[in-house]
């Protein structure tokens, strides 16, 4: 598992197909983000996502996971990942993480984002606690991008986790906090299947992992908490919550790594703005 063998790689044609699947996932998350408001249930969001994905000729790939019937995972407040959409009514100030995937023409995209429910200004109404939540959301998104730009052909894959961890530690120091990084759930390769080898830890590990080949496609997905990194699974056998009840954020993108640069497959702009801002080479695949 920890050998020096290189990562898998896709052909140029396959990368174009993966971009189409990833773009649809990114567009679905954009749609959901624009529609989220207090009073909706997480099941409402799930229905909206399923309709959008199917209307584009794709399949909600979470439904291909044995035992799972939904299009999204919706994790609220102390829920970290794998929250099941249901009749929970969203409230202003909730910290909502939406994880979404789609399979188009046999290729998969997988992405997640966190946001605070409510109109602009809701943070003021809900006081400093919600500001802490927004800082957590931003720290987690920044950690994702730090992990993405650590992807480079010829480098070791687990540089991703080192970069994620360094980014979270930097945010902790700036905020005077001690954010927790979840270790029980990790990123992964992606392609014909949503989950392919190798796993990609979102934290530093002793081994540095396989060497990244041009054409590698993987999902990077840090989960960060305001408290402990310990989790437990609820009786529904899916929903992962923090052991100490602290709130958590989750950001994920599927990314292609090539000799000619990176393409963030599930970002609507392909990652161009964030990649260029950090000096990383951007490869358009549209
Ligand atoms: Mg996901
Ligand atoms: Mg994933």
């Amino acid at each position: 598992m920890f050998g020096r063998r290189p990562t898998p790689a896709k052909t140029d044609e396959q990368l174009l197909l993966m971009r189409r699947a990833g773009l649809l996932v990114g567009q679905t998350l954009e749609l959901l983000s624009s529609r989220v408001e207090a009073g909706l249930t997480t099941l409402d969001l799930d229905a909206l996502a399923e309709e959008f994905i199917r209307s584009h000729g794709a399949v909600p790939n979470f439904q291909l996971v044995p035992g799972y019937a939904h299009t999204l995972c919706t994790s609220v407040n102390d829920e970290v990942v794998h929250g099941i959409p249901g009749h929970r009514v969203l409230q202003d100030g909730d910290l909502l993480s939406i994880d979404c995937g789609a399979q188009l023409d046999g290729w998969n995209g997988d992405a997640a984002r966190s946001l605070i429910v409510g109109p602009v200004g809701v943070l003021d109404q809900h006081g400093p606690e919600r500001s802490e939540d927004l800082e957590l959301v931003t720290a987690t998104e920044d950690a994702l991008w730090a992990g993405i730009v650590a992807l480079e052909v010829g480098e070791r894959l687990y540089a991703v986790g080192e970069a994620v961890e360094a980014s979270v530690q930097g945010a902790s120091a700036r905020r005077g906090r001690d954010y927790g990084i979840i270790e029980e759930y990790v990123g992964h390769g992606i392609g014909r299947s949503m989950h392919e080898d190798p796993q990609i830890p979102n934290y530093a590990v002793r081994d540095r992992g396989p060497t990244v080949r041009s054409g590698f496609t993987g999902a990077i997905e840090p989960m960060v908490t305001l408290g402990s990194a310990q989790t437990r699974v609820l009786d529904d056998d899916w929903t992962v919550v923090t052991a100490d009840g602290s709130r958590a954020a989750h950001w994920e993108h599927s990314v292609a790594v090539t000799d000619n640069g990176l393409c963030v497959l599930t970002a609507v702009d392909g990652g161009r703005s964030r990649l260029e801002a950090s000096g990383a080479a951007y490869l358009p695949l549209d």
Side-chain angles (χ1 to χ4, degrees):
M1 176 177 179
F2 293 127
R4 286 185 165 266
R5 62 189 166 72
T7 64
K10 271 61 179 180
T11 66
D12 290 351
E13 279 180 8
Q14 290 171 337
L15 292 181
L16 294 174
L17 293 167
M18 287 199 62
R19 170 57 175 159
R20 292 184 60 227
L23 179 57
L24 181 58
V25 173
Q27 289 168 333
T28 307
L29 284 169
E30 290 284 327
L31 173 69
L32 295 171
S33 300
S34 72
R35 296 287 186 87
V36 166
E37 62 178 359
L40 289 179
T41 67
T42 50
L43 202 54
D44 292 332
L45 297 176
D46 194 72
L48 185 63
E50 178 163 10
E51 182 192 2
F52 187 76
I53 288 169
R54 291 197 187 279
S55 74
H56 287 79
V59 176
N61 55 8
F62 289 11
Q63 295 182 17
L64 304 176
V65 175
Y68 200 76
H70 295 282
T71 297
L72 304 174
C73 290
T74 49
S75 305
V76 183
N77 298 337
D78 64 327
E79 297 171 355
V80 183
V81 282
H82 302 166
I84 305 172
H87 298 291
R88 180 180 190 145
V89 178
L90 294 170
Q91 314 282 333
D92 278 343
D94 278 345
L95 197 174
L96 170 67
S97 298
I98 307 172
D99 198 345
C100 179
Q103 185 179 90
L104 180 64
D105 296 331
W107 296 93
N108 290 274
D110 183 13
R113 63 169 59 176
S114 294
L115 53 84
I116 310 292
V117 176
V120 175
V122 69
L123 293 174
D124 297 332
Q125 298 161 26
H126 288 265
E129 279 189 14
R130 299 296 83 84
S131 299
E132 292 172 3
D133 294 346
L134 185 60
E135 288 172 1
L136 172 69
V137 167
T138 303
T140 310
E141 183 183 14
D142 288 346
L144 167 63
W145 285 96
I148 289 171
V149 302
L151 286 165
E152 194 174 337
V153 174
E155 291 295 320
R156 303 298 290 277
L157 181 61
Y158 295 169
V160 168
E162 293 172 12
V164 167
E165 188 167 307
S167 178
V168 172
Q169 286 175 345
S172 288
R174 284 194 303 280
R175 303 292 188 196
R177 298 206 151 272
D178 188 14
Y179 292 127
I181 304 176
I182 303 291
E183 298 191 359
E184 287 150 296
Y185 304 90
V186 297
H188 48 90
I190 185 167
R192 286 270 186 203
S193 298
M194 180 167 59
H195 295 130
E196 297 185 348
D197 287 337
Q199 293 192 341
I200 309 174
N202 305 301
Y203 50 91
V205 292
R206 195 165 43 179
D207 188 85
R208 298 208 63 226
T211 303
V212 178
R213 282 168 69 196
S214 186
F216 174 65
T217 49
I220 315 295
E221 50 178 316
M223 294 152 231
V224 183
T225 79
L226 282 173
S228 162
Q230 303 305 311
T231 62
R232 63 189 175 88
V233 179
L234 298 185
D235 288 342
D236 62 18
D237 284 338
W238 285 101
T239 311
V240 177
V241 299
T242 56
D244 63 0
S246 63
R247 292 188 166 194
H250 177 209
W251 278 83
E252 176 179 25
H253 272 306
S254 302
V255 186
V257 194
T258 79
D259 285 326
N260 299 314
L262 299 171
C263 181
V264 182
L265 301 166
T266 46
V268 170
D269 75 344
R272 179 174 200 155
S273 57
R274 293 279 307 227
L275 292 174
E276 290 183 348
S278 56
Y282 161 67
L283 173 71
L285 286 176
D286 296 302

